[in-house]
């Protein structure tokens, strides 16, 4: 198994055209994951079938389950394969809410941070609109951080801890890269016996993520953020955390997530997890050095650029550099960079294209203008010094043009 030396990269990258700095949106599949997936796509068999071909597919799924469990500090029986991070988040938020409320009608309070991905925020809001959930948005500080004390105060300030149905706090933020103190937050939730879910989709590549050590009840993962395929992920679920299913059908995955298991994608996801976890430390250090170089060069070219999120260091994802450029529209910057074959994002890929200020930056206390004028560069396995240099070369001119366009 190999890592960044032979990391996949898109055909465009192979031709040397594209500077791809949007790894938080999706990162290229690792060559070994492609090889595993290609091999398995040629195989026949439904993992639920009893014949030989089915049993072979089942073996592939179960071996993958063991690998994913080992990579993320869980037991194999705690791994529920899903179609990705969005489904894992929905299953955790809706499923755990329903299970709690069905056991005790008073338990209707859901606490999520104001900076969650929409895959958590929207199911929580859906529960508020359709199932009478009382949803509270947990405040974060100016760097996007939620502290255990603030969580405790929010629980205490409510109608009573016995009404707690669920707390969901992401491990690391997809826009600004802020890392939450998940173990400390989960410990507070445990004191009040409120189930705790964490969306670890962005954390599972660059950070040491251990389900057991974090002490959480549920944890979301996504294949395509770690070098596996799109359309596969997992919810790690502690024993005793039994969500009401969102999907009903064949009863696969502990009866929690029905649907024929995608053995090739699951095998490739597990292969990617194994590789990223094995190389995590040196890769995180490499990315942090590149990221720091990028931050320094952007600041040199645009002295009034504001770095959003935590300072570079242990509180920030190693591959994340997120700026606000005063006087600019993020969308204009993105398109100007795109015209120069540099791919980045104004924030989460899921909201890009919709001209709205980032809810994450607003929750961090940024004004609308600053929130709209932001850009995220996210680095990953294929990122190099040449990518950083390409941004450094054009960012000053691009910001000038976006400012002039904004004034016109
Ligand atoms: C923090 C976070 N959660 C959830 C998701 C959704 O994951 P998926 O694309 O696998 O549905 C994303 C993707 O952008 C994400 O960044």
């Amino acid at each position: 198994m190999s890592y960044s030396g032979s990391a996949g990269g898109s055909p465009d990258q192979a031709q040397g055209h594209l500077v791809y700095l949007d790894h938080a949106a999706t990162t290229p599949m690792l060559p070994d994951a492609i090889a595993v997936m290609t091999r398995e796509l040629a195989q026949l068999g439904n993992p639920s079938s009893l014949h030989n071909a089915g049993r072979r597919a089942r073996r592939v799924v179960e071996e993958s389950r063991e690998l994913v469990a080992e990579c993320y500090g869980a037991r194999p029986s705690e791994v529920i394969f899903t179609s990705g991070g969005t489904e894992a988040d929905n299953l955790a938020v809706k499923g755990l809410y329903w299970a709690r409320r069905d056991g005790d009608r008073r338990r209707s309070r859901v606490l999520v941070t104001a900076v969650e991905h929409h895959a958590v925020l929207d199911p929580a809001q859906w529960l508020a609109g359709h199932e009478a959930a009382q949803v509270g948005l947990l405040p974060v500080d100016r760097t996007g951080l939620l502290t255990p004390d603030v969580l405790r105060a929010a629980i205490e300030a409510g109608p009573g801890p016995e009404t707690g149905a669920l707390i969901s706090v992401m491990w690391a933020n997809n826009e600004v890269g802020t890392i939450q103190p998940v173990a400390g937050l989960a410990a507070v939730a445990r004191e009040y016996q409120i189930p705790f879910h964490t969306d670890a989709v962005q954390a599972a590549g660059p950070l040491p993520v251990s389900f057991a050590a974090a002490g959480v009840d549920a944890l979301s993962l996504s294949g395509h953020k770690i070098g596996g395929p799109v359309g596969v992920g997992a919810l790690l679920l502690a024993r005793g955390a039994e969500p009401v299913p969102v999907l009903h059908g064949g009863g696969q995955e502990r009866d929690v997530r029905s649907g024929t298991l995608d053995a090739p994608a699951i095998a490739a996801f597990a292969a990617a997890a194994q590789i990223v976890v094995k190389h995590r430390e040196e890769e995180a250090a490499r990315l942090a050095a590149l990221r720091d170089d990028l931050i320094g060069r952007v600041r040199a070219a645009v002295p009034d650029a504001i770095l959003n999120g935590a300072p570079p260091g242990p509180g920030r994802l190693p591959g994340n550099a997120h700026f606000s450029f005063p006087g600019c529209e993020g969308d204009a910057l993105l398109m100007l960079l795109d015209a120069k074959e540099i791919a980045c994002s104004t924030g989460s890929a899921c909201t890009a294209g919709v001209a709205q200020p980032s809810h994450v930056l607003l929750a961090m206390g940024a004004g609308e203008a600053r929130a709209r004028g932001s850009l995220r560069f996210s680095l990953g396995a294929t990122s190099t010094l040449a990518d950083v240099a390409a941004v450094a070369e054009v960012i000053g001119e691009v910001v000038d043009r976006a400012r002039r366009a904004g004034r016109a």
Side-chain angles (χ1 to χ4, degrees), residues 170-257:
M170 68 203 317
W171 196 301
N173 185 267
N174 48 298
E175 290 191 34
V176 296
T178 303
I179 299 167
Q180 304 291 355
V182 170
L185 296 165
V188 173
R190 214 165 32 250
E191 272 178 47
Y192 294 96
Q193 297 175 349
I194 304 173
F196 188 96
H197 164 251
T198 186
D199 174 341
V201 163
Q202 293 290 339
L207 303 180
V209 168
S210 166
F211 183 62
V216 301
D217 299 289
L219 183 150
S220 301
L221 299 168
S222 170
H224 73 111
K225 309 289 185 174
I226 63 164
V230 182
V232 65
L235 185 66
L236 306 185
L237 259 182
R239 294 212 190 120
E242 296 298 336
V244 171
V246 174
L247 300 181
H248 299 268
Q252 289 90 345
E253 300 297 270
R254 278 167 48 184
D255 224 2
V256 162
R257 197 278 183 179

Side-chain angles (χ1 to χ4, degrees), residues 145-156:
L145 188 76
L146 171 72
T147 62
D149 285 347
V150 170
L151 175 61
R152 183 186 301 283
I155 296 170
E156 293 282 349

Side-chain angles (χ1 to χ4, degrees), residues 281-307:
E281 265 182 72
E282 70 261 28
E283 180 63 0
R286 187 183 78 85
L287 290 182
L290 275 183
R291 187 264 327 264
D292 293 350
D293 192 19
L294 176 65
I295 291 172
R297 294 213 213 180
V298 168
R299 280 177 161 160
V302 186
D304 60 346
I306 302 162
L307 181 71

